[in-house]
Amino acid sequence: MSRKYVIINADEVSSVDFNKVEETSENTLRYSLDNSQTFVKYEGAKPRFLYGKDTYTHSEILSILSGDQWTSDEPF
C-alpha cells in the first residue's frame, strides 16, 4: 500500500482521529510557515474526517512542502 497525504487547515486539527493517521498527536504535525495549514498521512482507506479533501502522493507532497508556504530560505 502506498502512503497518501492530505493538507488540512490548522483549525481542523481537533477533528483528526490520530488512530487513523500516521501522526501520533497534534504535537507531531508540521505546519506551514504561517501556521494556517498542516498535513497528515495515512495508508489504506481514506479516513472519513478527510473526505472532500485533496489527496496527494509522496512526490506531490514533497513538491508542495518545498514551496514558499512551507519552507523558508531564512537561516535559523
Side-chain angles (χ1 to χ4, degrees), residues 1 4-5 10 17-18 24 30-31 35 38 40 42 50 52-53 55 57-58 62-63 65 68-69 71 74:
M1 258 183 242
K4 301 292 184 190
Y5 302 81
D17 180 348
F18 287 99
T24 57
R30 176 181 169 187
Y31 287 85
N35 290 315
T38 187
V40 293
Y42 67 93
L50 296 175
K53 302 203 173 292
T55 301
T57 65
H58 186 252
L62 286 179
S63 178
L65 297 179
D68 291 345
Q69 289 183 310
T71 303
E74 298 294 318

Side-chain angles (χ1 to χ4, degrees), residues 43-68:
E43 290 188 17
K46 189 175 197 175
R48 183 173 299 273
F49 63 89
L50 296 175
Y51 284 5
K53 302 203 173 292
D54 293 334
T55 301
Y56 301 97
T57 65
H58 186 252
S59 60
E60 289 170 332
I61 199 72
L62 286 179
S63 178
I64 292 167
L65 297 179
S66 68
D68 291 345

Side-chain angles (χ1 to χ4, degrees), residues 13 21 23 25-26 28 32 40 44 48 67 71 76:
V13 169
V21 295
E23 293 71 26
S25 74
E26 184 175 342
T28 61
S32 59
V40 293
R48 183 173 299 273
T71 303
F76 288 97

